[in-house]
Amino acid sequence: MNITDRRRILGPSNAKPLVFERLESSEQAAQPPQEKNNENESMYIKNGLVSNANGSSYLELKRGESSEQCTILLSSVYGPRPSRGAFSSKASLSVQFKEVTIEKIPSGELKEICNFLSNIFSAVINLERYPKSGIDIFLSLIKNPITSDEANLEPIIAACVNGITLALADAGIEIFDTVSAGTYKRNVVAFSKNGTEVVGLWKDKEDDTANDILSVIENCRGNYLQNRKGIIEYLIRSKNADI
Amino acid sequence: MTESLELRPITFHPDVLARIAPELSMQRHLSLGLRPSLRSFEEFRNVEISDGGLSFASNADIDRKGNNILGSNVLKCGKTMVVTSITGGIVEENISGSRVDDESTESSNRADRLSRFAQVHPVVEVERGRVGAPTDEEMTLSQRLRDCVLHSGLIPKKALDVAVGIRSTDSEGISSILYPDEEENTISSGLKSRRKWSYVLYAKIQVFSRDGPLFEICWNSLIYALKTTQLPRAFVDERTADLKIPVSMRGRSATFRETFDIICDASKFQPLVLNEENVAFASNFAIIDVDPETELPKDEDEMQVDQGGSVLLADIQGEAEEASVFSTISIISSDAGRLKHFKVIGGGLNASMEHLKKSLNLAKLRASDLSAKSSSGDR
């Protein structure tokens, strides 16, 4: 059976992707920024950019001075909107993640990210308050700082957690707490309730802090408090600007 | 027993009225000399552009590993945001052995005109809060963009030819790359005549906050992105340049095929050469009849617009306009007034000559405004 995609314009079938020569100098240059993790990180937040979504947030994370190491994530929340079919006493939640420009994350890992995020937010959104409805969250990664072929997903996942929280707040969907995430080495921990409750923990398989889970959580908490402070400050400031 | 029935007029918030009775809302606005977006009739939305720093060539010292975006543009028009990224591929062209130089066979025949121009392969995605197969709108947009790029003659085929260099490593282990167009060397000329490669351009266009017709916005963003596009230099390794692999097909025809691994230079780029006189920008217009019935009771001192039945609106935006407008004009014009695309949908109204002329003039003005943006945005 011919399974070509006839809905999209795909171009010639014998085209090969561009293969770039590997530069030795750039490989060395790529290493250091991964080490100094949470230093000099700045976050730019803007809510409500996507006008046809119920709520949206735009996050720009910069590490240090350079503009290259920059993550840009646009999250939009659609819902609560009526869901058809069988009655459900709770809202159903779905998370979709898409890379808008460079596609580098393998689809299996994308699915894992979506599952991880929807698990976190199922616990955080007051789903009982929205029966018979669906809440759909769409994440669009516009710029990705990963330059090596091997994906370093942790900063992106942390940005997703922060972005979704902001978008939910923008949409006016009831959440139990402003959830935020912190990263440490190759771990992401999402917290709520002022860092006393862990709502999600992501651990990469290549992580070297295998046994020391408590110190990982402790390190992530510092990062979490910093991120949450940024989020809350932004929300208060934008609320004051509205009035 | 009779119950007294009281009829009271209902008032709606403007947004609600625009949703439930778009035509009424539209006519009410028009009678005030305004549009639902509060722009005047022939006013365009402001357009902000940037290259977003997405492509590898936009930064001088960016680490290029893994970034294969050749050109990019972020365009914001009103609330609508379009992110366009251009990626590439390399395709080997089949050339028959007898044809060595394609310039000699190039004819000025009209039918062959299209064969001199290249196309891009756009995929438009509009975020609408749903997942699934592309919508009709997305498919139509992609196809229309592809056709318009091809027919406008924007990209000459020659601009996409790969001038393949050869990397040679000398005895001291220092490799150098020789390009046929940079130095007069005879090494690669033999290779060049036998094989021909060209770049393929893909455009990924992501639209956020759809608010009105998208073709013009996507087109403009695509043009800006193509203007920033840089093609990497490509080369083959010397060792593989003479490699021959025998392939026999069931013993009948034994052919010798060489396969080359074309590697792109991560540090050398050339801008994509566009046919500058064919660079054009798009704008759209609507023609709508003003219905005097829906006018609100007038105050004597209100500003009165002298209506000649129908009015021309520039740059369609918003639900009310899109829903109540059936006659549209879409124009792609260069700043010098060269028309590249002209589409009129009558939709029950007669687009008068006057309106068409006016829209052409406005499209030209808009194009010169937009092209001025790209030259200032480059810096």
Side-chain angles (χ1 to χ4, degrees):
Chain A
M1 206 183 87
N2 191 7
I3 47 157
T4 50
D5 187 349
R6 278 188 278 175
R7 293 192 171 111
R8 297 175 183 88
I9 300 169
L10 296 176
S13 55
N14 57 340
K16 288 181 195 143
L18 300 181
V19 181
F20 283 91
E21 157 198 39
R22 290 198 162 268
L23 289 177
E24 291 79 19
S25 57
S26 64
E27 256 169 66
Q28 286 163 357
Q31 282 312 108
Q34 293 179 358
E35 296 302 317
K36 43 169 189 177
N37 225 344
N38 307 323
E39 286 165 37
N40 291 331
E41 205 178 65
S42 65
M43 183 155 66
Y44 174 80
I45 308 171
K46 177 103 180 117
N47 270 7
L49 274 185
V50 182
S51 63
N52 48 6
N54 293 64
S56 63
S57 76
Y58 171 91
L59 266 188
E60 208 176 288
L61 297 171
K62 266 191 194 143
R63 191 153 296 160
E65 297 295 304
S66 65
S67 59
E68 286 99 66
Q69 289 288 322
C70 178
T71 310
I72 298 177
L73 180 84
L74 192 64
S75 346
S76 40
V77 172
Y78 292 81
R81 49 188 178 190
S83 64
R84 296 199 290 154
F87 175 82
S88 66
S89 60
K90 286 206 295 187
S92 64
L93 179 74
S94 80
V95 178
Q96 309 289 336
F97 186 95
K98 196 169 69 178
E99 288 172 284
V100 168
T101 49
I102 314 171
E103 289 180 19
K104 254 183 314 199
I105 305 174
S107 58
E109 294 196 22
L110 282 182
K111 216 169 213 171
E112 270 181 55
I113 296 176
C114 292
N115 280 339
F116 176 71
L117 291 171
S118 66
N119 280 340
I120 293 182
F121 284 93
S122 302
V124 169
I125 301 172
N126 189 359
L127 292 173
E128 278 83 8
R129 202 169 172 273
Y130 307 101
K132 302 191 282 182
S133 39
I135 297 170
D136 300 299
I137 298 170
F138 288 80
L139 299 160
S140 309
L141 186 67
I142 295 173
K143 196 170 174 187
N144 185 344
I146 304 171
T147 41
S148 56
D149 293 331
E150 192 194 314
N152 179 12
L153 296 172
E154 289 70 38
I156 295 169
I157 294 169
C160 288
V161 175
N162 298 338
I164 294 174
T165 304
L166 281 161
L168 287 170
D170 187 40
I173 290 173
E174 199 173 305
I175 45 179
F176 293 122
D177 190 24
T178 41
V179 179
S180 176
T183 54
Y184 174 69
K185 286 189 177 167
R186 307 212 61 177
N187 302 282
V188 185
V189 185
F191 294 94
S192 70
K193 313 226 166 110
N194 208 14
T196 53
E197 243 176 54
V198 174
V199 282
L201 196 150
W202 174 282
K203 199 165 169 57
D204 204 270
K205 51 187 178 295
E206 284 160 43
D207 178 45
D208 51 350
T209 56
N211 302 315
D212 205 2
I213 200 97
L214 283 176
S215 81
V216 164
I217 290 180
E218 204 50 52
N219 279 310
C220 289
R221 184 176 291 142
N223 195 212
Y224 149 77
L225 290 171
Q226 194 186 326
N227 284 336
R228 196 189 61 157
K229 193 170 158 242
I231 291 174
I232 291 174
E233 268 174 13
Y234 172 79
L235 289 174
I236 290 171
R237 212 175 335 122
S238 62
K239 190 152 193 269
N240 289 340
D242 283 348
I243 295 165
Chain B
M1 218 165 68
T2 53
E3 282 176 41
S4 67
L5 193 72
E6 206 180 336
L7 282 173
R8 258 186 273 164
I10 318 166
T11 52
F12 293 105
H13 193 267
D15 293 343
V16 180
L17 187 69
R19 172 62 65 88
I20 58 174
E23 272 162 57
L24 183 65
S25 159
M26 182 81 186
Q27 293 292 348
R28 287 273 165 82
H29 278 96
L30 290 181
S31 69
L32 292 171
L34 281 172
R35 297 160 60 178
S37 52
L38 303 184
R39 282 185 285 147
S40 67
F41 293 162
E42 286 161 17
E43 188 183 336
F44 287 92
R45 279 175 286 180
N46 187 32
V47 166
E48 290 168 49
I49 57 160
S50 106
D51 73 348
L54 297 170
S55 76
F56 58 65
S58 66
N59 297 64
D61 57 341
I62 191 165
D63 179 15
R64 292 189 180 94
K65 270 191 299 169
N67 185 351
N68 56 355
I69 297 180
L70 306 177
S72 64
N73 172 260
V74 180
L75 182 143
K76 201 154 188 270
C77 180
K79 281 177 187 161
T80 313
M81 197 162 71
V82 182
V83 181
T84 304
S85 51
I86 308 256
T87 52
I90 285 183
V91 68
E92 188 177 343
E93 277 178 30
N94 291 320
I95 44 172
S96 52
S98 61
R99 221 179 88 192
V100 178
D101 202 355
D102 58 338
E103 277 156 65
S104 56
T105 55
E106 194 177 276
S107 74
S108 57
N109 200 329
R110 260 196 85 76
D112 279 354
R113 185 183 160 265
L114 286 185
S115 66
R116 287 189 281 130
F117 300 118
Q119 53 183 340
V120 289
H121 303 281
V123 173
V124 183
E125 283 182 35
V126 182
E127 200 197 60
R128 60 192 199 285
R130 305 244 180 253
V131 283
T135 56
D136 288 353
E137 188 192 25
E138 288 166 341
M139 287 189 268
T140 319
L141 274 175
S142 308
Q143 186 66 37
R144 228 177 125 194
L145 286 171
R146 191 201 79 106
D147 290 349
C148 284
V149 168
L150 178 63
H151 287 260
S152 69
L154 180 69
I155 310 169
K157 245 195 183 134
K158 252 184 254 164
L160 294 181
D161 285 351
V162 186
V164 185
I166 288 191
R167 176 167 68 181
S168 53
T169 312
D170 63 15
S171 52
E172 283 153 39
I174 300 158
S175 58
S176 60
I177 304 163
L178 298 172
Y179 291 108
D181 52 342
E182 278 179 3
E183 284 155 78
E184 287 301 316
N185 56 345
T186 47
I187 320 158
S188 58
S189 61
L191 177 74
K192 195 183 158 197
S193 64
R194 276 179 285 131
R195 290 303 191 88
K196 190 166 176 288
W197 289 273
S198 58
Y199 292 106
V200 190
L201 295 178
Y202 306 97
K204 201 169 166 192
I205 303 172
Q206 173 75 43
V207 182
F208 297 102
S209 308
R210 185 194 183 281
D211 187 23
L214 289 174
F215 172 74
E216 289 74 20
I217 301 173
C218 291
W219 169 270
N220 292 341
S221 179
L222 181 63
I223 294 294
Y224 285 130
L226 284 172
K227 282 184 127 185
T228 67
T229 300
Q230 305 256 339
L231 298 172
R233 301 300 319 247
F235 58 86
V236 289
D237 214 60
E238 192 181 33
R239 279 168 294 176
T240 63
D242 288 326
L243 196 71
K244 288 186 181 177
I245 301 164
V247 178
S248 61
M249 299 291 281
R250 292 180 189 172
R252 283 211 303 195
S253 59
T255 50
F256 287 92
R257 254 191 94 77
E258 302 148 272
T259 54
F260 294 104
D261 281 332
I262 294 198
I263 309 165
C264 293
D265 199 324
S267 55
K268 270 190 182 166
F269 299 96
Q270 287 180 320
L272 172 69
V273 185
L274 300 174
N275 274 336
E276 280 301 325
E277 80 270 15
N278 288 340
V279 173
F281 292 93
S283 42
N284 64 17
F285 302 90
I287 303 170
I288 187 163
D289 261 335
V290 176
D291 187 0
E293 298 257 309
T294 56
E295 265 179 64
L296 289 168
K298 284 176 203 131
D299 296 335
E300 285 307 310
D301 55 340
E302 279 287 308
M303 184 187 70
Q304 280 304 302
V305 194
D306 45 328
Q307 291 130 353
S310 58
V311 288
L312 184 76
L313 306 178
D315 203 359
I316 306 164
Q317 175 203 357
E319 213 164 356
E321 285 187 14
E322 215 185 351
S324 53
V325 154
F326 299 104
S327 311
T328 55
I329 307 173
S330 170
I331 300 172
I332 300 180
S333 163
S334 72
D335 51 351
R338 284 174 70 123
L339 280 184
K340 289 294 158 197
H341 176 75
F342 187 74
K343 180 181 173 189
V344 187
I345 298 171
L349 273 181
N350 283 324
S352 69
M353 200 48 119
E354 197 190 327
H355 283 323
L356 292 180
K357 272 185 190 158
K358 210 174 187 180
S359 64
L360 286 171
N361 278 332
L362 285 171
K364 191 180 150 187
L365 278 175
R366 174 74 161 168
S368 61
D369 182 36
L370 289 175
S371 73
K373 267 194 177 126
S374 76
S375 48
S376 63
D378 284 347
R379 296 285 75 82

